[in-house]
Structures are given as C-alpha cells and as structure tokens.
Amino acid sequence: YINYARSIDRPPYMNLTLSPVYFSSTSRTIGNPKLNPSITNNLEFGFNTADLNFKMFGKYIDNEIFDYSYNKCDSVITSFKNLKGESQIGTDIDYAISPVSFAQLVLSATSYYDYAKYDNNEPTHSWNSYVNGKLALRLDKKGVFDMDIDYWDLFPQEEDGTKWKNRTDLSCTFNCNLI
C-alpha cells in the first residue's frame, strides 16, 4: 500500500494563554500566544498480511510545538515554541498473534532518523529505535473485564554528542466496561 496524509494540529488553549498555571511556588507553566499550528505531511509505503504489517515512512512536520523549561528567580518556568521543521525517515514492523481466544499479543519494532531545526537554526540529529509489546486479555466471556499489559523500551542512542541510556516503561491497566 501507499498512503499520504496531511494534517494540522492546532495548539490547545493552555499552550496559548499567558495566564500562568502554578504547580508549586517554584514551578509554573506559561503559554505562548504566538504559537502556530503544526502541519504534518506523512508518506508511507508498506504491506500487510493477516499477522504482519511492515511500512517505511517519511514525515515532515512544519511548526511542531514543543515545550521547554528555563530557570528564572529560583523558579522553573515551562513554556512552548514552534520548531522550524522536523523530518523523520524510518521503518515500522508490527506482528500480532492470538495464541488463545481470550488473549492477543502485539509486538512492534520501530527505527527512524530524526532531523529537527530550532529557532536558533542549530539542527539536531538523532537515530531512535524502540520496541513495544502489548498483551490484551479478555477476563470474562461477556467482555466486561479486560486487562492490558504494555511494555516500551527505547534503545540507547546518541543525539548531537549526548548519549542517552535505555528508557523503559511497563504498565498494567485493568478495565471494567460498563456500557
């Protein structure tokens, strides 16, 4: 398959307002009313089978919104800016299997190169690779109770000379579906 999508992401009100939101006496967030909407162009080439999905992608994001923090008078202030542009090129592989009727296991691997330009025109480069795993369990026949176990791991990487260590997340969610 070939897929092209263009989308717009407008900044939420809290990212625009100059009224500060205080989290403590030394931490607050202030919006930026000059934020522009982000526009994303995404192109994918891939193929699917019953259990496997493989795709190569290219993405360009103009005016992506990011948050940053700085210190001022013994306080940490968080605000928002637009990137001048960000490009990503990579691959994504997903494999899904249902070993038993009440469980589905989805394994994913993603790797991509990221190039971004901030307002000071100094670009950043990084190579990101990570794996995801999700086990979805249906705990009763009516589908009222279910549970998700999610795992995410970002491999060590280097970004403009800074070496990042592994980052991992493991979560378990128990759901009661009343509707």
Side-chain angles (χ1 to χ4, degrees):
Y1 67 87
I2 297 174
N3 181 39
Y4 171 77
R6 181 179 172 102
S7 62
I8 187 167
D9 184 18
R10 299 187 190 284
Y13 175 76
M14 291 305 295
N15 291 18
L16 295 170
T17 183
L18 289 174
S19 299
V21 175
Y22 289 89
F23 296 101
S24 72
S25 61
T26 61
S27 175
R28 66 182 182 265
T29 297
I30 299 174
N32 177 357
K34 295 180 182 179
L35 287 176
N36 293 313
S38 296
I39 298 174
T40 302
N41 292 283
N42 192 24
L43 180 63
E44 299 175 347
F45 299 95
F47 68 88
N48 297 325
T49 66
D51 300 332
L52 182 69
N53 178 32
F54 173 80
K55 71 178 175 184
M56 296 184 314
F57 62 88
K59 182 186 294 189
Y60 178 75
I61 307 166
D62 190 28
N63 292 322
E64 182 171 15
I65 299 168
F66 72 100
D67 60 334
Y68 68 99
S69 298
Y70 60 94
N71 291 318
K72 183 177 180 182
C73 301
D74 295 329
S75 291
V76 176
I77 299 173
T78 301
S79 191
F80 307 92
K81 286 185 180 181
N82 288 108
L83 285 174
K84 285 197 174 208
E86 181 176 19
S87 299
Q88 297 176 352
I89 298 172
T91 61
D92 188 23
I93 302 170
D94 300 315
Y95 178 71
I97 187 170
S98 294
V100 291
S101 63
F102 60 88
Q104 182 183 34
L105 177 65
V106 178
L107 301 172
S108 303
T110 302
S111 186
Y112 65 92
Y113 172 76
D114 186 86
Y115 173 87
K117 265 192 150 175
Y118 294 91
D119 57 0
N120 59 4
N121 289 325
E122 293 182 25
T124 63
H125 308 268
S126 64
W127 190 270
N128 302 281
S129 298
Y130 57 91
V131 293
N132 293 321
K134 180 175 187 169
L135 178 61
L137 301 170
R138 191 174 63 238
L139 302 175
D140 66 329
K141 291 184 180 184
K142 293 183 180 180
V144 175
F145 299 103
D146 61 57
M147 183 166 77
D148 296 330
I149 301 170
D150 295 294
Y151 174 79
W152 176 84
D153 188 28
L154 178 66
F155 297 127
Q157 66 185 42
E158 187 171 323
E159 181 177 326
D160 292 329
T162 302
K163 292 185 178 183
W164 297 91
K165 296 182 179 180
N166 264 45
R167 289 176 265 179
T168 301
D169 179 58
L170 178 64
S171 63
C172 182
T173 308
F174 180 76
N175 304 301
C176 179
N177 304 301
L178 301 175
I179 298 176

